[in-house]
Amino acid sequence: MTAPVQGSATLGIAQHHFDVAARQLDLAPALVLVLRQIKRELIVHFPVEMDDGSFRVFTGFRVQHNIARGPAKGGMRFHPAMTLADARALAMFMTWKAAVVGLPFGGAKGGVVVDPKALSITERERLTRRFTTEISLLIGPDRDIPAPDIGTGPQEMAWMMDTLSMHAGYSVPASVTGKPVAIGGSEGRNAATGRGIATVAAQALRDSGIDPTGATAAVQGFGQVGSSTAQLLAAAGMRVVAVSDSGGGVHSGGGLDVDALTALKEEGGAIADYGAAQALTNDELLTLEVDLLVPCALEAQITAANATRVRARVIAEGANAAVDPEAEAVLTEKDVLIVPDILANAGGVVVSYFEWVQNLEAFFWARGEVNARLREVMARGYDAVRTKAQADHLSLREAAYQIAVRRVAEASEVRGIYP
Ligand code: NAD
C-alpha cells in the first residue's frame, strides 16, 4: 500500500484550472484521466555531509507530469516548504506553459526540502551534486531537463550539469538549462522570465486602455524573476513604485531607483534596508493602487483574504498560481485583467528551449537574437490567447488553458495509449 500524499493549495489550483478547461473543451473521459494524472515521480532521501563533519538526510523530488509533446522540462526548487504535492502542481503548470507557447516539451518540476540560505556554499554544492545523482535515473537531455526555480540559480545548474557530465564521462550541456554562459548557457536566460513578463504586461496594459509609458507598477519578490521584471518595466518607461522580498518592501510614489535596489540585493542586502523610500509590508504592496501588479514570489499570494482590497488594473502572474481561483472570480468581477502564469512567466522556459537547442547544435546565438526571438514567441502567444478569449468570451486564463490542453490532448490522442 502506498502512503497517501497530502494535497496542497497549489495542486488544488492546478487541478481546478485543468478541470475547467477539460469541461469547456468537452475532453474525452480517457484523456481527462491521463492528463489529470502525473506520469512519473521519484522521491529520494539522501545524506549530505555538513561542514562540521555531521551528516543530514534531505528529501527531494522529481515529478514528470506529461511527456506527450517532448522531453520533460521544469525547474528545481530548494525551499523548506517544498512538497511532493507542490511539485506535482508545478509540473502540470510546466506542461501547459510549454504547450501554450508552442514548445516541444512536457512538464516537470523538482526540488529539495531545504533552506539553502542556511547552508554554506560547499554544503550547497554537495547537496546539489548528490541530489542530481539520486534523480539521474530520470533526467537527461532527451528525457527531462532541469532549470532554476526558487532557491536555485546558474551556480546550482552548473553543479547539476557537471555532475551529469561526470557520470557520462563527457560534457552534456543540453542536460540542464539556466547554466552560466561559460559552460553553454544562453545569453539572455537570466532575464528571460522578466523579459517575457514585461512584454505581455505592456500589451495587457494597452488592451486595458492604459499607456505603458508612465504606468505605475508594483512587483512582489525581488529574486531572479522579480528583479529582472522590475528592471525591464522601468526600462520600458513604467514607474516602478513598490518592490519587496521576503523581509518586506519599499514604496515611493515618484518611482524607485530599480538599479540601486538591484545593486543592494547583489551586495546581499534586503529590500527593507533601502533607505530612500517608505517601508511597506507585502500585504500593503499587493493592495496598492497601481496600474500593474506583478507577483513574483510564491504561489497563492492573492486569495479571498485580500482580493477585494486589490486595486491594480492589470495583474501579470510572475509566480505560478499567485492568484487563486476564488480571488480570480472577485477580480474578474472588478474588471481586473489577469495575464495567467502559464503565459506570463513562460519567457524562462522559452529561452531554456533556445539554450537546449543551442547546446544540441553547439551553435550559439547573440543576445540580441535571443531577446528578439523571445519577444516574438511571447507576443505571438499573448496574441493567440487574447484573440481566443475575445472570440469565445473567455478569461485570458481560460483561453490559455484551452489552447494548451487541446495541444497536449491532441498529441496524446494521436500517439495513442500503448500498447
Ligand atoms: P528566487 O528565489 O530567485 O526569488 C524569490 C523572491 O521572492 C526572493 O526575492 C524572495 O525574497 C521573495 N519572497 C519569498 N517569499 C516571499 C514573500 N512571502 N513575500 C515577498 N517576497 C517573497 O526565485 P525566482 O526564480 O525569482 O522565482 C520566483 C517565482 O517565479 C516562483 O514562484 C517561480 O516558480 C516562478 N518562476 C520562475 C522562473 C525562473 O525562470 N526562475 C520561471 C517561471 C516562473
Side-chain angles (χ1 to χ4, degrees):
M1 214 175 93
T2 52
V5 174
Q6 255 191 326
S8 73
T10 312
L11 185 56
I13 295 172
Q15 287 169 336
H16 169 87
H17 294 320
F18 171 73
D19 290 344
V20 170
R23 212 167 37 241
Q24 289 175 343
L25 290 168
D26 202 13
L27 216 58
L31 280 171
V32 175
L33 276 180
V34 173
L35 301 185
R36 204 175 192 277
Q37 187 55 274
I38 294 299
K39 177 180 175 59
R40 200 178 268 158
E41 55 197 13
L42 181 62
I43 307 175
V44 294
H45 308 284
F46 58 94
V48 178
E49 186 173 3
M50 300 289 108
D51 289 345
D52 65 4
S54 67
F55 283 85
R56 281 176 61 190
V57 172
F58 292 90
T59 297
F61 315 103
R62 187 65 181 173
V63 172
Q64 296 172 355
H65 167 240
N66 185 285
I67 54 171
R69 288 169 44 85
K73 188 91 192 73
M76 288 295 190
R77 179 172 295 191
F78 288 181
H79 193 275
M82 182 69 184
T83 64
L84 177 60
D86 281 348
R88 289 174 171 176
L90 295 163
M92 293 179 89
F93 292 139
M94 286 306 300
T95 303
W96 314 132
K97 195 175 300 185
V100 78
V101 288
L103 305 178
F105 285 137
K109 201 77 178 193
V112 177
V113 186
V114 60
D115 178 4
K117 288 188 212 147
L119 301 183
S120 70
I121 186 161
T122 47
E123 289 168 341
R124 262 194 308 129
E125 177 172 359
R126 285 195 292 275
L127 176 130
T128 305
R129 288 184 181 279
R130 178 64 188 251
F131 174 57
T132 306
T133 302
E134 294 289 339
I135 60 165
S136 61
L137 334 166
L138 287 191
I139 58 182
D142 302 319
R143 296 187 290 171
D144 180 350
I145 306 123
D149 192 71
I150 295 179
T152 64
Q155 179 60 77
E156 285 74 18
M157 298 306 111
W159 290 326
M160 285 194 168
M161 176 273 198
D162 184 71
T163 303
L164 294 167
S165 299
M166 287 297 135
H167 291 181
Y170 51 89
S171 284
V172 194
S175 55
V176 175
T177 62
K179 304 177 292 294
V181 171
I183 53 167
S186 179
E187 292 288 349
R189 173 61 182 88
N190 282 350
T193 308
R195 191 173 302 279
I197 293 169
T199 304
V200 296
Q203 192 52 49
L205 284 168
R206 281 190 285 270
D207 289 346
S208 299
I210 301 165
D211 182 354
T213 309
T216 53
V219 180
Q220 183 202 29
F222 209 75
Q224 182 160 351
V225 178
S227 62
S228 54
T229 300
Q231 279 168 30
L232 288 156
L233 294 178
M238 290 183 215
R239 191 148 42 97
V240 178
V241 295
V243 302
S244 66
D245 62 16
S246 55
V250 288
H251 176 231
S252 165
L256 295 163
D257 181 342
V258 178
D259 289 340
L261 286 157
T262 306
L264 173 73
K265 282 297 274 186
E266 276 168 4
E267 286 156 15
I271 294 293
D273 297 340
Y274 184 70
Q278 272 179 299
L280 90 172
T281 64
N282 268 291
D283 185 62
E284 287 165 343
L285 181 145
L286 295 171
T287 54
L288 277 178
E289 186 168 356
V290 282
D291 295 313
L292 173 67
L293 173 63
V294 196
C296 298
L298 293 167
E299 296 80 23
Q301 294 300 297
I302 303 172
T303 65
N306 57 4
T308 51
R309 291 182 287 120
V310 168
R311 288 178 293 163
R313 304 270 307 277
V314 172
I315 298 176
E317 280 185 309
N320 299 303
V323 180
D324 80 6
E326 264 182 271
E328 184 154 1
V330 172
L331 294 167
T332 307
E333 209 38 44
K334 294 206 298 182
D335 240 2
V336 178
L337 183 63
I338 300 173
V339 189
D341 47 11
I342 61 168
L343 175 64
N345 69 32
V349 72
V350 170
V351 176
S352 275
Y353 167 65
F354 295 162
E355 181 174 333
W356 181 70
V357 167
Q358 292 171 77
N359 292 154
L360 293 176
E361 293 187 336
F363 181 74
F364 290 88
W365 312 349
R367 181 181 301 232
E369 185 175 357
V370 171
N371 290 345
R373 287 190 188 217
L374 167 62
R375 274 194 297 269
E376 192 187 314
V377 173
M378 293 302 297
R380 200 169 53 219
Y382 181 88
D383 204 45
V385 168
R386 182 192 46 196
T387 304
K388 181 164 182 63
Q390 282 170 350
D392 298 349
H393 307 290
L394 302 168
S395 67
L396 292 181
R397 191 184 310 277
E398 289 169 327
Y401 264 82
Q402 283 199 23
I403 291 171
V405 172
R406 191 191 289 282
R407 284 182 180 158
V408 180
E410 198 183 333
S412 304
E413 201 163 29
V414 75
R415 286 179 65 153
I417 304 289
Y418 175 85

PDB file of all heavy atoms in Angstrom, residues 32-60:
ATOM      1  N   VAL A  32      -9.099  12.906 -20.022  1.00  0.00           N
ATOM      2  CA  VAL A  32      -9.149  13.595 -18.729  1.00  0.00           C
ATOM      3  C   VAL A  32      -8.381  12.778 -17.691  1.00  0.00           C
ATOM      4  O   VAL A  32      -7.566  13.300 -16.929  1.00  0.00           O
ATOM      5  CB  VAL A  32     -10.604  13.823 -18.263  1.00  0.00           C
ATOM      6  CG1 VAL A  32     -10.641  14.432 -16.870  1.00  0.00           C
ATOM      7  CG2 VAL A  32     -11.350  14.717 -19.257  1.00  0.00           C
ATOM      8  N   LEU A  33      -8.608  11.458 -17.705  1.00  0.00           N
ATOM      9  CA  LEU A  33      -7.916  10.581 -16.751  1.00  0.00           C
ATOM     10  C   LEU A  33      -6.406  10.696 -16.889  1.00  0.00           C
ATOM     11  O   LEU A  33      -5.677  10.807 -15.908  1.00  0.00           O
ATOM     12  CB  LEU A  33      -8.286   9.109 -17.026  1.00  0.00           C
ATOM     13  CG  LEU A  33      -9.565   8.561 -16.437  1.00  0.00           C
ATOM     14  CD1 LEU A  33      -9.725   7.107 -16.830  1.00  0.00           C
ATOM     15  CD2 LEU A  33      -9.526   8.706 -14.914  1.00  0.00           C
ATOM     16  N   VAL A  34      -5.927  10.664 -18.130  1.00  0.00           N
ATOM     17  CA  VAL A  34      -4.485  10.683 -18.383  1.00  0.00           C
ATOM     18  C   VAL A  34      -3.890  12.047 -18.035  1.00  0.00           C
ATOM     19  O   VAL A  34      -2.876  12.131 -17.339  1.00  0.00           O
ATOM     20  CB  VAL A  34      -4.183  10.337 -19.868  1.00  0.00           C
ATOM     21  CG1 VAL A  34      -2.707  10.527 -20.187  1.00  0.00           C
ATOM     22  CG2 VAL A  34      -4.616   8.903 -20.170  1.00  0.00           C
ATOM     23  N   LEU A  35      -4.521  13.120 -18.505  1.00  0.00           N
ATOM     24  CA  LEU A  35      -3.910  14.445 -18.377  1.00  0.00           C
ATOM     25  C   LEU A  35      -4.034  15.030 -16.966  1.00  0.00           C
ATOM     26  O   LEU A  35      -3.266  15.900 -16.581  1.00  0.00           O
ATOM     27  CB  LEU A  35      -4.514  15.423 -19.398  1.00  0.00           C
ATOM     28  CG  LEU A  35      -4.355  15.020 -20.861  1.00  0.00           C
ATOM     29  CD1 LEU A  35      -4.877  16.128 -21.767  1.00  0.00           C
ATOM     30  CD2 LEU A  35      -2.896  14.723 -21.202  1.00  0.00           C
ATOM     31  N   ARG A  36      -4.973  14.510 -16.183  1.00  0.00           N
ATOM     32  CA  ARG A  36      -5.132  14.996 -14.812  1.00  0.00           C
ATOM     33  C   ARG A  36      -4.124  14.329 -13.882  1.00  0.00           C
ATOM     34  O   ARG A  36      -3.910  14.758 -12.756  1.00  0.00           O
ATOM     35  CB  ARG A  36      -6.553  14.698 -14.329  1.00  0.00           C
ATOM     36  CG  ARG A  36      -7.030  15.600 -13.218  1.00  0.00           C
ATOM     37  CD  ARG A  36      -8.486  15.296 -12.917  1.00  0.00           C
ATOM     38  NE  ARG A  36      -9.064  16.322 -12.059  1.00  0.00           N
ATOM     39  CZ  ARG A  36      -8.938  16.332 -10.749  1.00  0.00           C
ATOM     40  NH1 ARG A  36      -8.267  15.392 -10.135  1.00  0.00           N
ATOM     41  NH2 ARG A  36      -9.494  17.299 -10.027  1.00  0.00           N
ATOM     42  N   GLN A  37      -3.516  13.259 -14.364  1.00  0.00           N
ATOM     43  CA  GLN A  37      -2.627  12.458 -13.535  1.00  0.00           C
ATOM     44  C   GLN A  37      -1.160  12.769 -13.818  1.00  0.00           C
ATOM     45  O   GLN A  37      -0.806  13.217 -14.906  1.00  0.00           O
ATOM     46  CB  GLN A  37      -2.922  10.961 -13.829  1.00  0.00           C
ATOM     47  CG  GLN A  37      -2.230   9.968 -12.964  1.00  0.00           C
ATOM     48  CD  GLN A  37      -2.481  10.187 -11.475  1.00  0.00           C
ATOM     49  OE1 GLN A  37      -1.770  10.966 -10.849  1.00  0.00           O
ATOM     50  NE2 GLN A  37      -3.486   9.518 -10.928  1.00  0.00           N
ATOM     51  N   ILE A  38      -0.307  12.501 -12.826  1.00  0.00           N
ATOM     52  CA  ILE A  38       1.138  12.641 -13.001  1.00  0.00           C
ATOM     53  C   ILE A  38       1.668  11.369 -13.649  1.00  0.00           C
ATOM     54  O   ILE A  38       1.290  10.263 -13.267  1.00  0.00           O
ATOM     55  CB  ILE A  38       1.794  12.827 -11.613  1.00  0.00           C
ATOM     56  CG1 ILE A  38       1.354  14.148 -10.986  1.00  0.00           C
ATOM     57  CG2 ILE A  38       3.305  12.697 -11.680  1.00  0.00           C
ATOM     58  CD1 ILE A  38       1.719  15.379 -11.756  1.00  0.00           C
ATOM     59  N   LYS A  39       2.557  11.519 -14.639  1.00  0.00           N
ATOM     60  CA  LYS A  39       3.083  10.331 -15.311  1.00  0.00           C
ATOM     61  C   LYS A  39       4.078   9.564 -14.438  1.00  0.00           C
ATOM     62  O   LYS A  39       4.052   8.345 -14.340  1.00  0.00           O
ATOM     63  CB  LYS A  39       3.770  10.742 -16.621  1.00  0.00           C
ATOM     64  CG  LYS A  39       4.400   9.546 -17.334  1.00  0.00           C
ATOM     65  CD  LYS A  39       5.063   9.939 -18.621  1.00  0.00           C
ATOM     66  CE  LYS A  39       5.774   8.752 -19.237  1.00  0.00           C
ATOM     67  NZ  LYS A  39       4.867   7.630 -19.527  1.00  0.00           N
ATOM     68  N   ARG A  40       4.980  10.292 -13.806  1.00  0.00           N
ATOM     69  CA  ARG A  40       6.115   9.634 -13.161  1.00  0.00           C
ATOM     70  C   ARG A  40       6.627  10.525 -12.041  1.00  0.00           C
ATOM     71  O   ARG A  40       6.716  11.747 -12.202  1.00  0.00           O
ATOM     72  CB  ARG A  40       7.210   9.540 -14.235  1.00  0.00           C
ATOM     73  CG  ARG A  40       8.278   8.542 -14.020  1.00  0.00           C
ATOM     74  CD  ARG A  40       9.194   8.605 -15.228  1.00  0.00           C
ATOM     75  NE  ARG A  40       8.855   7.679 -16.281  1.00  0.00           N
ATOM     76  CZ  ARG A  40       9.216   7.829 -17.567  1.00  0.00           C
ATOM     77  NH1 ARG A  40       9.884   8.886 -17.952  1.00  0.00           N
ATOM     78  NH2 ARG A  40       8.899   6.913 -18.459  1.00  0.00           N
ATOM     79  N   GLU A  41       6.978   9.917 -10.887  1.00  0.00           N
ATOM     80  CA  GLU A  41       7.548  10.763  -9.826  1.00  0.00           C
ATOM     81  C   GLU A  41       8.515   9.949  -8.980  1.00  0.00           C
ATOM     82  O   GLU A  41       8.330   8.760  -8.780  1.00  0.00           O
ATOM     83  CB  GLU A  41       6.444  11.397  -8.966  1.00  0.00           C
ATOM     84  CG  GLU A  41       5.464  10.442  -8.361  1.00  0.00           C
ATOM     85  CD  GLU A  41       4.184  11.133  -7.885  1.00  0.00           C
ATOM     86  OE1 GLU A  41       3.943  12.300  -8.238  1.00  0.00           O
ATOM     87  OE2 GLU A  41       3.418  10.495  -7.163  1.00  0.00           O
ATOM     88  N   LEU A  42       9.541  10.620  -8.536  1.00  0.00           N
ATOM     89  CA  LEU A  42      10.591   9.961  -7.769  1.00  0.00           C
ATOM     90  C   LEU A  42      10.810  10.759  -6.484  1.00  0.00           C
ATOM     91  O   LEU A  42      10.952  11.985  -6.533  1.00  0.00           O
ATOM     92  CB  LEU A  42      11.877   9.954  -8.609  1.00  0.00           C
ATOM     93  CG  LEU A  42      13.114   9.296  -8.033  1.00  0.00           C
ATOM     94  CD1 LEU A  42      12.890   7.807  -7.790  1.00  0.00           C
ATOM     95  CD2 LEU A  42      14.292   9.479  -8.996  1.00  0.00           C
ATOM     96  N   ILE A  43      10.819  10.045  -5.348  1.00  0.00           N
ATOM     97  CA  ILE A  43      11.125  10.689  -4.068  1.00  0.00           C
ATOM     98  C   ILE A  43      12.456  10.129  -3.606  1.00  0.00           C
ATOM     99  O   ILE A  43      12.643   8.903  -3.608  1.00  0.00           O
ATOM    100  CB  ILE A  43      10.065  10.363  -3.000  1.00  0.00           C
ATOM    101  CG1 ILE A  43       8.667  10.686  -3.516  1.00  0.00           C
ATOM    102  CG2 ILE A  43      10.356  11.104  -1.708  1.00  0.00           C
ATOM    103  CD1 ILE A  43       7.557  10.285  -2.550  1.00  0.00           C
ATOM    104  N   VAL A  44      13.375  10.985  -3.222  1.00  0.00           N
ATOM    105  CA  VAL A  44      14.685  10.497  -2.773  1.00  0.00           C
ATOM    106  C   VAL A  44      15.012  11.072  -1.396  1.00  0.00           C
ATOM    107  O   VAL A  44      14.658  12.218  -1.089  1.00  0.00           O
ATOM    108  CB  VAL A  44      15.802  10.856  -3.793  1.00  0.00           C
ATOM    109  CG1 VAL A  44      15.590  10.110  -5.096  1.00  0.00           C
ATOM    110  CG2 VAL A  44      15.889  12.353  -4.061  1.00  0.00           C
ATOM    111  N   HIS A  45      15.662  10.255  -0.584  1.00  0.00           N
ATOM    112  CA  HIS A  45      16.164  10.691   0.730  1.00  0.00           C
ATOM    113  C   HIS A  45      17.656  10.423   0.682  1.00  0.00           C
ATOM    114  O   HIS A  45      18.074   9.298   0.400  1.00  0.00           O
ATOM    115  CB  HIS A  45      15.514   9.878   1.851  1.00  0.00           C
ATOM    116  CG  HIS A  45      14.017   9.854   1.779  1.00  0.00           C
ATOM    117  ND1 HIS A  45      13.230  10.920   2.151  1.00  0.00           N
ATOM    118  CD2 HIS A  45      13.157   8.896   1.343  1.00  0.00           C
ATOM    119  CE1 HIS A  45      11.963  10.612   1.966  1.00  0.00           C
ATOM    120  NE2 HIS A  45      11.887   9.392   1.467  1.00  0.00           N
ATOM    121  N   PHE A  46      18.445  11.441   0.901  1.00  0.00           N
ATOM    122  CA  PHE A  46      19.882  11.261   0.665  1.00  0.00           C
ATOM    123  C   PHE A  46      20.719  12.016   1.690  1.00  0.00           C
ATOM    124  O   PHE A  46      20.323  13.094   2.158  1.00  0.00           O
ATOM    125  CB  PHE A  46      20.224  11.717  -0.763  1.00  0.00           C
ATOM    126  CG  PHE A  46      19.870  13.144  -1.039  1.00  0.00           C
ATOM    127  CD1 PHE A  46      20.800  14.155  -0.880  1.00  0.00           C
ATOM    128  CD2 PHE A  46      18.582  13.501  -1.436  1.00  0.00           C
ATOM    129  CE1 PHE A  46      20.472  15.481  -1.122  1.00  0.00           C
ATOM    130  CE2 PHE A  46      18.240  14.829  -1.664  1.00  0.00           C
ATOM    131  CZ  PHE A  46      19.196  15.817  -1.513  1.00  0.00           C
ATOM    132  N   PRO A  47      21.880  11.457   2.038  1.00  0.00           N
ATOM    133  CA  PRO A  47      22.721  12.101   3.058  1.00  0.00           C
ATOM    134  C   PRO A  47      23.662  13.149   2.465  1.00  0.00           C
ATOM    135  O   PRO A  47      24.106  13.018   1.319  1.00  0.00           O
ATOM    136  CB  PRO A  47      23.536  10.929   3.603  1.00  0.00           C
ATOM    137  CG  PRO A  47      23.655   9.989   2.445  1.00  0.00           C
ATOM    138  CD  PRO A  47      22.439  10.162   1.585  1.00  0.00           C
ATOM    139  N   VAL A  48      23.926  14.161   3.246  1.00  0.00           N
ATOM    140  CA  VAL A  48      24.902  15.187   2.850  1.00  0.00           C
ATOM    141  C   VAL A  48      25.783  15.480   4.065  1.00  0.00           C
ATOM    142  O   VAL A  48      25.264  15.643   5.184  1.00  0.00           O
ATOM    143  CB  VAL A  48      24.203  16.485   2.391  1.00  0.00           C
ATOM    144  CG1 VAL A  48      25.240  17.570   2.038  1.00  0.00           C
ATOM    145  CG2 VAL A  48      23.291  16.223   1.195  1.00  0.00           C
ATOM    146  N   GLU A  49      27.078  15.534   3.829  1.00  0.00           N
ATOM    147  CA  GLU A  49      27.983  15.871   4.931  1.00  0.00           C
ATOM    148  C   GLU A  49      28.023  17.390   5.112  1.00  0.00           C
ATOM    149  O   GLU A  49      28.219  18.141   4.157  1.00  0.00           O
ATOM    150  CB  GLU A  49      29.390  15.342   4.634  1.00  0.00           C
ATOM    151  CG  GLU A  49      30.322  15.548   5.825  1.00  0.00           C
ATOM    152  CD  GLU A  49      31.685  14.894   5.646  1.00  0.00           C
ATOM    153  OE1 GLU A  49      31.949  14.321   4.566  1.00  0.00           O
ATOM    154  OE2 GLU A  49      32.488  14.975   6.594  1.00  0.00           O
ATOM    155  N   MET A  50      27.800  17.824   6.338  1.00  0.00           N
ATOM    156  CA  MET A  50      27.872  19.249   6.659  1.00  0.00           C
ATOM    157  C   MET A  50      29.337  19.638   6.900  1.00  0.00           C
ATOM    158  O   MET A  50      30.194  18.790   7.119  1.00  0.00           O
ATOM    159  CB  MET A  50      27.038  19.559   7.916  1.00  0.00           C
ATOM    160  CG  MET A  50      25.568  19.215   7.791  1.00  0.00           C
ATOM    161  SD  MET A  50      24.690  20.343   6.664  1.00  0.00           S
ATOM    162  CE  MET A  50      24.423  19.294   5.279  1.00  0.00           C
ATOM    163  N   ASP A  51      29.593  20.946   6.903  1.00  0.00           N
ATOM    164  CA  ASP A  51      30.979  21.405   7.063  1.00  0.00           C
ATOM    165  C   ASP A  51      31.582  20.995   8.411  1.00  0.00           C
ATOM    166  O   ASP A  51      32.797  20.850   8.532  1.00  0.00           O
ATOM    167  CB  ASP A  51      31.047  22.934   6.928  1.00  0.00           C
ATOM    168  CG  ASP A  51      30.806  23.380   5.490  1.00  0.00           C
ATOM    169  OD1 ASP A  51      30.882  22.524   4.582  1.00  0.00           O
ATOM    170  OD2 ASP A  51      30.537  24.586   5.280  1.00  0.00           O
ATOM    171  N   ASP A  52      30.728  20.799   9.418  1.00  0.00           N
ATOM    172  CA  ASP A  52      31.269  20.432  10.742  1.00  0.00           C
ATOM    173  C   ASP A  52      31.477  18.927  10.887  1.00  0.00           C
ATOM    174  O   ASP A  52      31.763  18.443  11.984  1.00  0.00           O
ATOM    175  CB  ASP A  52      30.349  20.953  11.856  1.00  0.00           C
ATOM    176  CG  ASP A  52      28.966  20.288  11.835  1.00  0.00           C
ATOM    177  OD1 ASP A  52      28.737  19.363  11.010  1.00  0.00           O
ATOM    178  OD2 ASP A  52      28.110  20.679  12.651  1.00  0.00           O
ATOM    179  N   GLY A  53      31.304  18.175   9.779  1.00  0.00           N
ATOM    180  CA  GLY A  53      31.551  16.736   9.813  1.00  0.00           C
ATOM    181  C   GLY A  53      30.310  15.911  10.128  1.00  0.00           C
ATOM    182  O   GLY A  53      30.326  14.690   9.997  1.00  0.00           O
ATOM    183  N   SER A  54      29.215  16.581  10.536  1.00  0.00           N
ATOM    184  CA  SER A  54      27.976  15.835  10.805  1.00  0.00           C
ATOM    185  C   SER A  54      27.264  15.534   9.482  1.00  0.00           C
ATOM    186  O   SER A  54      27.610  16.108   8.444  1.00  0.00           O
ATOM    187  CB  SER A  54      27.062  16.658  11.721  1.00  0.00           C
ATOM    188  OG  SER A  54      26.623  17.811  11.029  1.00  0.00           O
ATOM    189  N   PHE A  55      26.276  14.643   9.537  1.00  0.00           N
ATOM    190  CA  PHE A  55      25.502  14.298   8.334  1.00  0.00           C
ATOM    191  C   PHE A  55      24.043  14.651   8.541  1.00  0.00           C
ATOM    192  O   PHE A  55      23.521  14.530   9.653  1.00  0.00           O
ATOM    193  CB  PHE A  55      25.620  12.795   8.046  1.00  0.00           C
ATOM    194  CG  PHE A  55      26.932  12.432   7.412  1.00  0.00           C
ATOM    195  CD1 PHE A  55      28.046  12.191   8.216  1.00  0.00           C
ATOM    196  CD2 PHE A  55      27.070  12.372   6.041  1.00  0.00           C
ATOM    197  CE1 PHE A  55      29.273  11.883   7.643  1.00  0.00           C
ATOM    198  CE2 PHE A  55      28.289  12.068   5.468  1.00  0.00           C
ATOM    199  CZ  PHE A  55      29.392  11.823   6.264  1.00  0.00           C
ATOM    200  N   ARG A  56      23.396  15.079   7.455  1.00  0.00           N
ATOM    201  CA  ARG A  56      21.946  15.269   7.490  1.00  0.00           C
ATOM    202  C   ARG A  56      21.341  14.540   6.304  1.00  0.00           C
ATOM    203  O   ARG A  56      21.990  14.413   5.262  1.00  0.00           O
ATOM    204  CB  ARG A  56      21.597  16.766   7.377  1.00  0.00           C
ATOM    205  CG  ARG A  56      21.780  17.511   8.688  1.00  0.00           C
ATOM    206  CD  ARG A  56      21.534  18.997   8.517  1.00  0.00           C
ATOM    207  NE  ARG A  56      20.169  19.298   8.065  1.00  0.00           N
ATOM    208  CZ  ARG A  56      19.776  20.506   7.663  1.00  0.00           C
ATOM    209  NH1 ARG A  56      20.626  21.515   7.657  1.00  0.00           N
ATOM    210  NH2 ARG A  56      18.536  20.710   7.254  1.00  0.00           N
ATOM    211  N   VAL A  57      20.118  14.048   6.482  1.00  0.00           N
ATOM    212  CA  VAL A  57      19.427  13.397   5.371  1.00  0.00           C
ATOM    213  C   VAL A  57      18.353  14.359   4.851  1.00  0.00           C
ATOM    214  O   VAL A  57      17.549  14.875   5.632  1.00  0.00           O
ATOM    215  CB  VAL A  57      18.808  12.054   5.810  1.00  0.00           C
ATOM    216  CG1 VAL A  57      17.923  11.482   4.697  1.00  0.00           C
ATOM    217  CG2 VAL A  57      19.911  11.064   6.157  1.00  0.00           C
ATOM    218  N   PHE A  58      18.399  14.613   3.554  1.00  0.00           N
ATOM    219  CA  PHE A  58      17.439  15.526   2.924  1.00  0.00           C
ATOM    220  C   PHE A  58      16.462  14.731   2.046  1.00  0.00           C
ATOM    221  O   PHE A  58      16.781  13.626   1.600  1.00  0.00           O
ATOM    222  CB  PHE A  58      18.175  16.547   2.055  1.00  0.00           C
ATOM    223  CG  PHE A  58      18.994  17.520   2.846  1.00  0.00           C
ATOM    224  CD1 PHE A  58      20.320  17.239   3.150  1.00  0.00           C
ATOM    225  CD2 PHE A  58      18.440  18.707   3.308  1.00  0.00           C
ATOM    226  CE1 PHE A  58      21.081  18.118   3.898  1.00  0.00           C
ATOM    227  CE2 PHE A  58      19.197  19.599   4.054  1.00  0.00           C
ATOM    228  CZ  PHE A  58      20.518  19.310   4.355  1.00  0.00           C
ATOM    229  N   THR A  59      15.308  15.326   1.794  1.00  0.00           N
ATOM    230  CA  THR A  59      14.307  14.705   0.920  1.00  0.00           C
ATOM    231  C   THR A  59      14.162  15.573  -0.329  1.00  0.00           C
ATOM    232  O   THR A  59      14.096  16.798  -0.229  1.00  0.00           O
ATOM    233  CB  THR A  59      12.953  14.598   1.651  1.00  0.00           C
ATOM    234  OG1 THR A  59      13.137  13.743   2.772  1.00  0.00           O
ATOM    235  CG2 THR A  59      11.870  14.017   0.742  1.00  0.00           C
ATOM    236  N   GLY A  60      14.140  14.907  -1.494  1.00  0.00           N
ATOM    237  CA  GLY A  60      13.970  15.635  -2.750  1.00  0.00           C
ATOM    238  C   GLY A  60      12.980  14.916  -3.646  1.00  0.00           C
ATOM    239  O   GLY A  60      12.616  13.756  -3.411  1.00  0.00           O
TER     240      GLY A  60
END
